[in-house]
Amino acid sequence: MADATWDSKADPAMRLRGITLVVLTAFAAAVSPPASAQEVSLDTQTAKPIRGVIELFTSQGCSSCPPADALLKTLSDDPSIIALSLPVDYWNYLGWKDTFASPRNTERQRNYARNRGDGAIYTPQAIVNGVAHVNGASKTAIEQAIDDTSKMGGPAQVPVRFWQERNTLNFAVAGDPPGHNPREATVWLGVVQMTGSVPIKEGENAGKTLTYTNVVRELTPIGIWKGTPLKVQLPRAAMMQADVQKIVVLVQEGRSGPIIGATMAGLW
């Protein structure tokens, strides 16, 4: 057993404060069914393998983003897709400060561009399975990117489970399937606001009321996966934030590489 403690002084913006993450590497050889009915995840997405994780980098100050925001809502209705909205802050100078934007989202988008080596940063940009970037308003391009990246493995490679037991949130990541060379991945935990409507008073979208789906309010690493089964436990109280209804877990090679495992689940 090893404990990993998040340092709030190193990151004052993070809201998951004072949490000790209990990482149990001596887990079962595969992610087994929960031992009791209390441990069963209430989220139906765990019943179907995830074929696509879509991260939409968007902005309330971007006039071409509303169609992408609406498409993300449609895509989120597919239980085999995890569709996330990550508003960025670099369009705030246009006269409207994005009420959901986070510099963490901007940095994540930049890290993807650096990792790919193409420097492509724009809105609306959809990153599919941590690999491909496409126009976030193009359903055809997104579906094609899901198909292409799934052929390389995709998020169905490593099963991820979530369940609640009393006052504890449990996250279990299976071991690497046979045939893979040793690899290492970051386990990310995000807290998600399911929906939010914002009346825009200034900027390119002035006069519109925009609705957002699955807004990532925080995304932070909670562990390192090294190919062997991993379990992480958190106190449930750590997730109790206003407007937050879901959590998302992403298993991602490196910090900005392919997403090889994922799940999203309700907290209430």
Side-chain angles (χ1 to χ4, degrees):
M1 177 184 295
D3 290 346
T5 305
W6 174 75
D7 183 4
S8 61
K9 294 181 180 179
D11 191 354
M14 187 60 200
R15 297 177 184 173
L16 309 181
R17 301 181 182 227
I19 301 170
T20 298
L21 309 181
V22 183
V23 182
L24 306 175
T25 55
F27 194 60
V31 180
S32 56
S36 68
Q38 288 180 318
E39 297 181 10
V40 176
S41 169
L42 300 179
D43 192 85
T44 57
Q45 295 199 49
T46 59
K48 187 173 184 178
I50 301 300
R51 64 187 181 93
V53 175
I54 301 165
E55 298 174 71
L56 177 64
F57 292 94
T58 183
S59 172
Q60 295 169 13
C62 161
S63 61
S64 57
C65 285
D69 301 321
L71 175 59
L72 192 80
K73 170 61 175 71
T74 300
L75 294 170
S76 72
D77 293 334
D78 184 338
S80 72
I81 291 176
I82 293 177
L84 304 171
S85 179
L86 291 92
V88 296
D89 63 355
Y90 49 79
W91 293 125
N92 287 353
Y93 74 90
L94 292 178
W96 177 258
K97 185 176 181 180
D98 191 306
T99 58
F100 287 137
S102 166
R104 285 174 161 267
N105 296 340
T106 301
E107 183 62 21
R108 184 167 176 83
Q109 186 182 27
R110 288 173 177 162
N111 286 340
Y112 273 131
R114 282 192 287 264
N115 193 61
R116 293 190 311 268
D118 58 24
I121 297 172
Y122 55 91
T123 56
Q125 183 182 51
I127 305 297
V128 179
N129 290 338
V131 178
H133 73 92
V134 297
N135 183 343
S138 173
K139 184 177 182 180
T140 299
I142 289 173
E143 289 286 359
Q144 185 63 55
I146 291 174
D147 290 342
D148 291 344
T149 55
S150 294
K151 293 174 183 176
M152 297 183 288
Q157 295 178 64
V158 180
V160 182
R161 296 189 61 257
F162 163 74
W163 69 95
Q164 302 185 52
E165 185 179 22
R166 300 183 180 88
N167 294 318
T168 302
L169 306 180
N170 300 273
F171 309 91
V173 183
D176 219 343
H180 277 281
N181 294 325
R183 53 182 173 170
E184 188 173 286
T186 302
V187 182
W188 296 91
L189 172 63
V191 289
V192 177
Q193 180 175 335
M194 291 177 62
T195 188
S197 294
V198 182
I200 311 299
K201 299 179 181 179
E202 304 289 345
E204 291 187 355
N205 290 313
K208 298 179 181 178
T209 296
L210 304 179
T211 300
Y212 296 88
T213 301
N214 291 341
V215 182
V216 177
R217 305 307 300 268
E218 302 285 356
L219 185 66
T220 192
I222 61 170
I224 299 297
W225 176 87
K226 297 184 178 182
T228 57
L230 173 72
K231 183 178 178 182
V232 179
Q233 294 179 311
L234 287 174
R236 190 175 185 275
M239 300 292 116
M240 296 180 67
Q241 298 182 26
D243 300 323
V244 168
Q245 298 92 11
K246 287 188 174 184
I247 59 93
V248 63
V249 179
L250 305 176
V251 183
Q252 184 167 33
E253 289 190 33
R255 290 178 67 89
S256 305
I259 293 174
I260 58 176
T263 192
M264 188 159 68
L267 278 171
W268 317 111

